[in-house]
């Protein structure tokens, strides 16, 4: 084949897309220039970004594998350097055998000495040189990995964010720490677009899990609202930002892992899921918590219940209104009871019919002497409660309150003020390098003090998250009486049974239905406008 007829594939790989020193653009320019020297035409590119050569073989990289699986469509493959192709002797040997078998030319734009390197697989000596270079790339890769791991461990021990994948709900930023040094820290991520405001999205996921939604239901909600995926969240925060992948999708595993991960508490978490702790056993923070401890523990209990489901057989005689239905005379809970009807009805002497009727009854022990215990038919009460509940609460969407931890810098401000005063006094007694060192310390503490004084106290706040379903939707979907009882308790429902004012009145005349305050968001906004206009 003539030089003019060569078909070239350019290959680009980078472990971390934010590494500007070996950016994809720089690699492409070098490969393109080398292609011009070789001659021929570029028929395609293999761009594998955020891919480690230490952790993947050439055939495990999606775009590179595409061309390796199609040897009839190209003649030459060009990389910037050998370490862009492989960092393993075994991988280089496999790539060499592939090139020898299919008659391909592998070219590296920058070889030893900086000039172009082309591997000729017709000579055993060339294969030996190839393996020696691959060994050097492998050794360099291991050294870089060990150095990065050591640096990350050091930064983590000081409470700095050590880099890597940005957690969903956070965004990295520079921060001055109590020791006066500046470093990376994870801040709560916000965006004017609700589908990209990942901190709010993650808290909304927590709210739905606490409310009893399954992982599948939360997944459907994320998909329906068009919430940005973790992959695309990281793409937008990259330097420079990457384009959003329209094919990126949410998965059940991602939803589950995000809800179980202590990362949302600001903790540093290892790959095995364990929390990094200091010498005293306290978790080390790397960023702002998205939820407080109380919400975290409530969430974990909800997820445990979701994983295990109800334990043991369900009781068929469980009280469907326990804690909801009270006696209007003694204000005590009413309980389920049974009685056998007599011929002619209640209060008529005669033989019992054997037909049992379920009633709610008060024990009457707290009543005044001579005052009878109250009772009322279960069927009528349950129908009344359902009617009233759906009338009062049915149209409203359910909400969940998420508590967000606050920050109190007052103690740190007091310490910094003392440090500034002490350093200022020392500065007048020093000269030369000692004075320069104190000036540096004084400036760092002054900068930190100024930043903290701008917001010395940020109290804990509550964020109300509106869920998808209405109370009526969940009432209809509830699979048993106990689930409905929990809904009544959550809404603050209280049903009171009063003594009958006449002979056998309807149940509705003996009952009163009270419910906790439920604010219509639209009505609440109108009331706020009226209040502001009246000022």
């Amino acid at each position: 084949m003539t030089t003019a007829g060569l078909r070239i594939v350019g290959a680009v790989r980078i472990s971390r897309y934010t590494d500007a020193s070996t950016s994809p653009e720089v690699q492409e320019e070098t490969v393109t220039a080398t292609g011009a020297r070789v001659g021929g035409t570029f028929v395609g590119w293999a761009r594998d970004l955020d891919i480690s050569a230490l952790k993947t073989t050439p055939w495990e990289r999606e775009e590179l594998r595409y061309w390796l699986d199609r040897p009839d469509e190209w003649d030459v493959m060009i990389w910037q350097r050998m370490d862009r192709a492989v960092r393993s002797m075994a991988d280089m040997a496999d790539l060499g055998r592939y090139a020898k078998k299919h008659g391909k030319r592998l070219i590296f734009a920058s070889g030893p000495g900086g000039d172009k390197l082309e591997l000729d697989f017709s000579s055993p000596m060339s294969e030996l040189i190839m393996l020696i270079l691959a060994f050097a790339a492998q050794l360099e890769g291991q050294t870089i990995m060990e150095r990065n791991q050591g640096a990350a461990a050091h930064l983590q021990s000081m409470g700095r964010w050590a880099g890597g994948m940005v957690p969903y709900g956070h965004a990295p930023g520079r921060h001055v720490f109590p020791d006066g040094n500046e470093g990376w820290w994870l801040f709560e991520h916000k965006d004017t677009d609700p589908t990209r405001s990942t901190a709010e999205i993650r808290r909304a996921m927590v709210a739905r899990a606490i409310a009893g939604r399954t992982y599948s239901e939360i997944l459907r909600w994320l998909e329906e609202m068009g919430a940005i995926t973790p992959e695309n969240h990281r793409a937008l925060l990259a330097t420079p930002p990457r384009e959003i992948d329209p094919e990126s999708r949410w998965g059940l595993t991602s939803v589950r892992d995000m809800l179980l991960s202590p990362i949302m508490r600001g903790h540093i978490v290892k790959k095995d899921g364990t929390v990094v702790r200091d010498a005293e056993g306290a978790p080390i923070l790397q960023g702002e918590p998205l939820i407080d401890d109380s919400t975290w523990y409530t969430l974990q209990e909800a997820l445990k219940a979701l994983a295990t489901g109800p334990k043991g057989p369900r009781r068929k005689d469980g009280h469907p209104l326990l804690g909801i239905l009270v006696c209007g005379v003694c204000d005590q809970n009413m309980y389920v009871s049974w009685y056998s009807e007599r011929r002619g009805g209640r209060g008529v002497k005669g033989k019992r019919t054997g037909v049992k009727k379920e009633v709610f009854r008060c024990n009457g022990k707290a009543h005044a002497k001579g005052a009878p215990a109250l009772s009322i038919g279960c069927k009528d009460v349950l129908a009344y409660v359902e009617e009233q509940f759906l009338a009062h609460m049915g149209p409203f969407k359910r909400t969940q309150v998420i508590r967000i931890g606050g920050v109190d810098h007052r103690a740190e401000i007091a310490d910094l003020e003392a440090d500034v005063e002490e350093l200022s006094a020392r500065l007048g007694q020093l000269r030369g390098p000692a004075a320069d060192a104190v000036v540096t310390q004084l400036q760092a503490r002054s900068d930190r003090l100024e930043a903290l004084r701008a917001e010395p106290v940020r109290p804990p706040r509550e964020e109300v998250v509106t869920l998808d379903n209405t109370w009526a939707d969940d009432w209809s979907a509830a699979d048993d009486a106990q689930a409905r009882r929990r809904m009544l308790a959550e809404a603050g429902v209280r049903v009171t049974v009063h003594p009958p004012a006449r002979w056998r009145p309807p149940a509705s005349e003996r009952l009163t239905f009270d419910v906790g305050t439920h604010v219509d968001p639209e009505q609440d906004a109108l009331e706020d406008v009226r209040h502001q206009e009246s000022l």
Side-chain angles (χ1 to χ4, degrees):
M1 180 178 294
T2 63
T3 301
L6 287 176
R7 298 166 299 173
I8 304 173
V9 171
V12 174
R13 184 200 63 78
I14 193 166
S15 298
R16 291 184 59 195
Y17 191 56
T18 57
D19 186 356
S21 63
T22 52
S23 67
E25 292 79 10
V26 173
Q27 293 186 44
E28 287 189 22
E29 289 177 5
T30 306
V31 170
T32 301
T34 303
R37 291 174 58 189
V38 172
T41 305
F42 279 87
V43 295
W45 287 84
R47 298 180 178 89
D48 293 298
L49 309 181
D50 285 329
I51 301 294
S52 169
L54 279 173
K55 299 177 181 178
T56 62
T57 69
W59 281 266
E60 291 173 335
R61 301 169 210 160
E62 184 176 359
E63 295 202 13
L64 182 57
R65 183 182 68 240
Y66 174 89
W67 291 104
L68 293 177
D69 289 344
R70 293 164 174 78
D72 296 335
E73 298 180 12
W74 58 278
D75 308 301
V76 180
M77 188 170 289
I78 304 176
W79 286 269
Q80 182 195 35
R81 299 192 309 269
M82 181 176 286
D83 61 1
R84 298 299 94 194
V86 295
R87 282 195 182 273
S88 162
M89 292 177 64
D91 290 346
M92 190 68 251
D94 291 340
L95 199 58
R97 281 192 290 269
Y98 169 91
K100 187 174 184 177
K101 175 181 177 182
H102 295 285
K104 302 301 176 185
R105 295 169 63 184
L106 304 182
I107 298 176
F108 305 99
S110 300
D115 197 11
K116 174 174 69 72
L117 169 67
E118 180 174 350
L119 297 178
D120 178 8
F121 297 99
S122 62
S123 166
M125 184 58 67
S126 295
E127 293 188 22
L128 176 61
I129 294 174
M130 172 194 72
L131 291 178
I132 291 173
L133 294 174
F135 173 74
Q138 178 177 330
L139 188 61
E140 180 189 18
Q142 292 289 347
T143 302
I144 292 173
M145 183 174 67
E146 291 171 3
R147 185 171 64 244
N148 289 342
Q149 289 175 344
H154 176 65
L155 290 174
Q156 289 175 354
S157 69
M158 297 189 297
R160 272 66 161 172
W161 182 59
M165 293 175 58
V166 180
Y168 198 83
H170 286 99
R174 302 298 288 177
H175 179 65
V176 179
F177 292 89
D179 59 6
N181 293 317
E182 186 178 308
W184 288 101
W185 180 255
L186 292 175
F187 294 91
E188 180 179 318
H189 177 252
K190 300 178 182 179
D191 196 289
T192 54
D193 183 350
T195 65
R196 294 188 178 185
S197 188
T198 57
E200 294 180 8
I201 292 172
R202 193 156 187 172
R203 283 196 288 267
M205 293 169 63
V206 171
R208 282 161 173 74
I210 292 176
R213 301 291 187 270
T214 64
Y215 295 128
S216 297
E217 289 174 321
I218 296 173
L219 174 62
R220 283 197 297 273
W221 170 75
L222 290 166
E223 292 173 339
E224 289 170 1
M225 78 164 291
I228 189 169
T229 63
E231 178 185 354
N232 284 333
H233 168 63
R234 293 192 296 271
L236 292 180
L237 295 178
T239 306
R242 301 195 298 271
E243 291 185 4
I244 284 182
D245 180 6
E247 301 300 321
S248 179
R249 296 289 182 269
W250 283 93
L252 275 177
T253 302
S254 297
V255 172
R256 177 184 177 277
D257 290 348
M258 285 173 59
L259 290 171
L260 289 169
S261 175
I263 283 179
M264 74 174 82
R265 303 175 72 188
H267 295 174
I268 300 176
V269 181
K270 299 178 183 177
K271 290 183 179 180
D272 60 3
T274 58
V275 175
V276 178
R277 300 180 180 275
D278 60 20
E280 297 179 356
I284 299 177
L285 297 181
Q286 66 176 353
E288 294 180 336
L290 302 182
I291 59 175
D292 66 3
D293 293 343
S294 176
T295 301
W296 167 260
Y297 293 124
T298 302
L299 170 65
Q300 299 314 302
E301 290 301 318
L303 296 179
K304 287 179 184 177
L306 180 63
T308 60
K311 296 181 179 179
R314 293 179 178 174
R315 291 183 53 185
K316 296 181 180 180
D317 60 344
H319 191 339
L321 296 178
L322 183 61
I324 307 297
L325 190 69
V326 298
C327 172
V329 176
C330 63
D331 204 35
Q332 300 294 314
N333 285 332
M334 299 188 71
Y335 298 91
V336 173
S337 181
W338 295 82
Y339 79 92
S340 296
E341 290 188 329
R342 298 176 184 272
R343 291 187 176 91
R346 292 195 67 186
V348 179
K349 292 184 179 180
K351 293 184 178 180
R352 297 185 183 275
T353 62
V355 177
K356 290 188 175 182
K357 185 176 181 181
E358 189 177 21
V359 296
F360 290 115
R361 184 185 297 277
C362 167
N363 59 28
K365 293 180 180 179
H367 289 202
K369 187 174 181 180
L374 300 186
S375 65
I376 189 169
C378 285
K379 184 178 179 181
D380 294 336
V381 173
L382 293 173
Y384 169 85
V385 170
E386 179 172 10
E387 177 186 357
Q388 294 295 315
F389 180 76
L390 294 178
H392 284 78
M393 302 293 295
F396 295 103
K397 286 190 174 183
R398 297 188 69 178
T399 59
Q400 183 69 47
V401 177
I402 296 296
R403 296 191 74 252
I404 303 167
V407 175
D408 188 344
H409 292 298
R410 287 175 293 186
E412 186 179 351
I413 288 174
D415 289 340
L416 286 170
E417 287 174 340
D419 288 347
V420 168
E421 184 177 349
E422 178 190 352
L423 290 170
S424 299
R426 289 172 54 192
L427 185 59
Q429 305 170 5
L430 300 173
R431 296 190 305 274
D436 294 340
V438 171
V439 167
T440 301
Q441 294 175 352
L442 180 60
Q443 187 61 54
R445 281 160 172 74
S446 297
D447 292 343
R448 174 65 174 166
L449 179 59
E450 183 180 0
L452 295 185
R453 279 176 173 170
E455 191 180 21
V457 178
R458 186 171 71 238
R461 72 182 193 273
E462 292 184 344
E463 185 175 296
V464 179
V465 178
T466 303
L467 306 180
D468 309 312
N469 293 4
T470 63
W471 288 92
D473 294 333
D474 286 356
W475 184 270
S476 300
D479 55 358
D480 64 1
Q482 295 307 311
R484 291 185 170 184
R485 184 185 70 80
R486 288 192 293 271
M487 291 177 62
L488 293 170
E490 183 180 341
V493 171
R494 179 185 175 92
V495 181
T496 306
V497 180
H498 303 283
R502 59 188 176 89
W503 173 249
R504 302 187 69 180
S508 58
E509 291 186 8
R510 297 183 56 195
L511 298 169
T512 55
F513 184 94
D514 297 302
V515 66
T517 303
H518 185 84
V519 179
D520 183 337
E522 183 176 348
Q523 185 63 33
D524 183 52
L526 292 174
E527 292 292 340
D528 185 57
V529 170
R530 295 191 191 100
H531 174 70
Q532 295 296 329
E533 291 176 346
S534 66
L535 297 178

